Amino acid sequence: MNQHEAIRHLMKAHRSIRRFKDQTVSQAIIDDLIECAQWAPSSHNVQAYSIICIRNKDTKQKLRTLCGDQSYISECPVFFVFVMDFYRHSVISACQKEAFEINETENMLVGAVDTALVAENFLLAARSYGLGGVMIGGIRNEAEEVAKLLKLPPYTVPIMGMCVGYPDQAPEQKPRLLKPTIYHEEVYQFEGLTDNLSTYNQISEAYYLKRANSKKNTGWIKQMQAYFGKIRRAKLTKFINDQGFSLK
Ligand SMILES: Cc1cc2nc3c(=O)[nH]c(=O)nc-3n(C[C@H](O)[C@H](O)[C@H](O)COP(=O)(O)O)c2cc1C
């Protein structure tokens, strides 16, 4: 496989890994993952993120509880928290006695996108070492408690966690939406949407029925109805405001 094929294979072979071997991940590898992550592009080059590496068992156990008791957080050899981070920018502005116009929606997007790009770079690099992982949005369930535990400063928000380790499972890949649903030429295309969604629903139903120990026996449409049928993280706006932002 040449380099071009190897990169594309890595991207196309993605699956989240939630079971790990009892094998540590060396600090040399982690250092390289950080370097790979740092080469992600960044809006205006603000580089509005921090990465916190957690190996401590007690901290992982606490985070597991705060993230909705997701067992793989305490079971993985190393857990990372990807934080949207404008603290250093606030420090610069304060030192220079300049305005710090952080409170526009744009900056929330800038920070969240920067952090997500870094996290995906990190995961891809980890997989190139034969590692696996899963991102953990549950880190936002109890963001205030997470911030206390990790001593997060103002103008920071935990965006996602990530369990990383050597895979002890090889799950089947989860099917993705059909290409015409997500790909549009020239302008947004509406044609065939409901048919394509219905086909995808059948594919995803078959996937979940086949999957060993599957907890879900519904297709994608029902899952999305369940997801959008209720408010998810009502406390998040208050937390973000308490961190120094001013969201409406
Ligand atoms: C930002 C983000 C947050 C996620 N949070 C969780 C989580 O808290 N727990 C979990 O088990 N999986 C989580 N996932 C993994 C998704 O469930 C998974 O990526 C999706 O179902 C597709 O499956 P795949 O990654 O195996 O292809 C998260 C993924 C992303 C991108």
Side-chain angles (χ1 to χ4, degrees):
M1 212 186 288
N2 63 31
Q3 195 191 27
H4 171 64
E5 285 166 346
I7 292 171
R8 288 168 50 251
H9 173 75
L10 189 72
M11 290 171 149
K12 291 186 190 180
H14 165 84
R15 69 262 283 156
S16 290
I17 295 296
R18 297 179 176 85
R19 202 154 4 108
F20 302 95
K21 290 184 180 146
D22 186 14
Q23 188 180 343
T24 53
V25 181
S26 75
Q27 191 57 43
I29 289 182
I30 291 176
D31 289 344
D32 192 46
L33 302 185
I34 299 293
E35 191 180 338
C36 291
Q38 279 205 273
W39 283 109
S42 163
S43 291
H44 306 276
N45 201 24
V46 289
Q47 303 175 70
Y49 61 86
S50 281
I51 305 168
I52 303 181
C53 173
I54 296 151
R55 293 186 190 269
N56 181 284
K57 282 200 167 90
D58 184 45
T59 311
K60 280 194 293 179
Q61 185 57 45
K62 284 180 178 142
L63 287 170
R64 166 182 171 162
T65 306
L66 292 173
C67 296
D69 196 27
Q70 301 195 55
S71 55
Y72 20 99
I73 296 174
S74 58
E75 288 160 7
C76 66
V78 58
F79 186 71
F80 296 89
V81 181
F82 292 83
V83 179
M84 176 174 92
D85 188 351
F86 289 103
Y87 175 65
R88 60 186 80 97
H89 308 86
S90 76
V91 169
I92 295 169
S93 297
C95 289
Q96 306 288 327
K97 297 191 171 53
E98 292 287 347
F100 183 54
E101 294 289 355
I102 190 68
N103 293 317
E104 53 172 334
T105 306
E106 169 68 2
N107 284 328
M108 289 294 115
L109 294 178
V110 163
V113 170
D114 266 22
T115 309
L117 292 174
V118 157
E120 177 59 7
N121 255 25
F122 189 95
L123 183 57
L124 272 173
R127 290 184 43 241
S128 80
Y129 278 101
L131 292 160
V134 60
M135 294 184 181
I136 300 292
I139 203 77
R140 303 189 300 272
N141 286 3
E142 302 292 342
E144 192 179 340
E145 295 304 314
V146 169
K148 272 189 210 147
L149 185 64
L150 304 181
K151 302 190 188 330
L152 298 187
Y155 304 112
T156 59
V157 176
I159 299 291
M160 68 187 84
M162 194 189 293
C163 304
V164 175
Y166 292 94
D168 195 20
Q169 63 175 171
E172 206 184 307
Q173 281 191 294
K174 198 178 282 183
R176 295 307 202 238
L177 287 166
L178 305 188
K179 185 178 161 197
T181 309
I182 56 95
Y183 174 70
H184 314 264
E185 285 187 352
E186 308 301 342
V187 292
Y188 199 100
Q189 308 289 335
F190 296 88
E191 206 180 314
L193 176 63
T194 47
D195 285 350
N196 287 330
L197 288 180
S198 162
T199 305
Y200 177 63
N201 195 49
Q202 287 165 22
I203 294 168
S204 80
E205 256 172 10
Y207 160 81
Y208 282 112
L209 278 176
K210 208 168 127 207
R211 202 172 73 163
N213 307 322
S214 181
K215 289 181 198 142
K216 293 183 183 134
N217 56 5
T218 59
W220 189 77
I221 290 180
K222 278 235 162 62
Q223 288 173 29
M224 293 304 106
Q225 283 168 350
Y227 179 81
F228 291 104
K230 63 176 185 187
I231 300 279
R232 291 276 148 184
R233 291 177 177 125
K235 295 186 283 191
L236 205 50
T237 310
K238 181 182 179 305
F239 166 73
I240 292 175
N241 286 339
D242 289 347
Q243 285 296 89
F245 300 96
S246 182
L247 297 187
K248 300 286 181 298

